[in-house]
Amino acid sequence: MGLLASLLALFGCDAQRIAKLEEGVSTEADVRKQFGDPVDAVVAADGSRTLEYPRQPEGWTNYFITIGPDGKMSALRQVLAEPYFVMVKTGMERADVGKLLGRPAKKQSYALKKDEEIWEWRYQSGGTSNKVFSVTFDAAGKVIAAASADDPRDTLGGGPSSR
């Protein structure tokens, strides 16, 4: 199976998995049955747990699924979208950006540019346009810039949609 077919199958599977879950009814066991083990689980002060399911680097989504203190799923969010990107502000810490957007597709350091580091997430805009959201951090780990651009894999070739 080619890479594009594999990616389409993954997204189709995610939609089927999501359809089997219901807020206020599904339990953490139900979520894990559909999505497997998360890459991270963050426990909040109220006892709720947010499970992270990234589809990076080749996918276009990062899912955060929250399990309330009652053990029931209270939210399922796909966080690689404009409403979350606009929350990234100059001065934010790396950890806060990670909590907001999840695991990036790529991290790249630039020692000659004052130890800057850039994190990138691949996402789809309007369901059809492949984009990259990038956040640049300074040497202290604070956001100094954020921007969206066309996915270079599409404009330069070699990406999943060019096959």
Side-chain angles (χ1 to χ4, degrees):
M1 184 183 309
L3 179 60
L4 182 57
S6 296
L7 290 173
L8 291 174
L10 174 66
F11 298 124
C13 289
D14 277 349
Q16 291 172 1
R17 290 178 181 118
I18 291 167
K20 293 178 181 176
L21 299 173
E22 185 178 345
E23 287 184 12
V25 175
S26 299
T27 64
E28 182 171 342
D30 297 330
V31 169
R32 287 176 182 262
K33 181 178 179 184
Q34 295 305 315
F35 281 86
D37 290 332
V39 298
D40 196 14
V42 177
V43 179
D46 68 357
S48 63
R49 297 167 39 86
T50 299
L51 312 177
E52 181 182 345
Y53 293 95
R55 298 301 190 237
Q56 303 285 301
E58 295 304 324
W60 291 279
T61 56
N62 275 357
Y63 296 107
F64 283 6
I65 303 175
T66 303
I67 308 299
D70 63 354
K72 306 287 185 191
M73 183 179 82
S74 60
L76 189 155
R77 299 171 288 143
Q78 194 296 97
V79 297
L80 299 184
E82 193 64 32
Y84 295 94
F85 299 150
V86 298
M87 291 183 207
V88 176
K89 303 291 184 199
T90 301
M92 282 179 78
E93 302 272 345
R94 277 187 191 104
D96 294 329
V97 173
K99 288 176 190 172
L100 180 64
L101 301 177
R103 181 181 288 183
K106 180 179 174 183
K107 292 181 183 181
Q108 194 161 358
S109 296
Y110 297 95
L112 297 178
K113 290 187 83 177
K114 301 178 186 170
D115 292 320
E116 289 180 358
E117 183 175 50
I118 298 176
W119 291 7
E120 295 179 347
W121 292 263
R122 299 191 188 304
Y123 72 101
Q124 287 191 321
S125 178
T128 58
S129 179
N130 298 334
K131 302 280 190 180
V132 173
F133 181 72
S134 61
V135 177
T136 305
F137 299 94
D138 64 15
K142 306 264 187 190
V143 172
I144 56 172
S148 287
D150 290 335
D151 189 333
R153 298 181 306 174
D154 292 342
T155 57
L156 301 175
S161 62
S162 66
R163 294 189 179 165

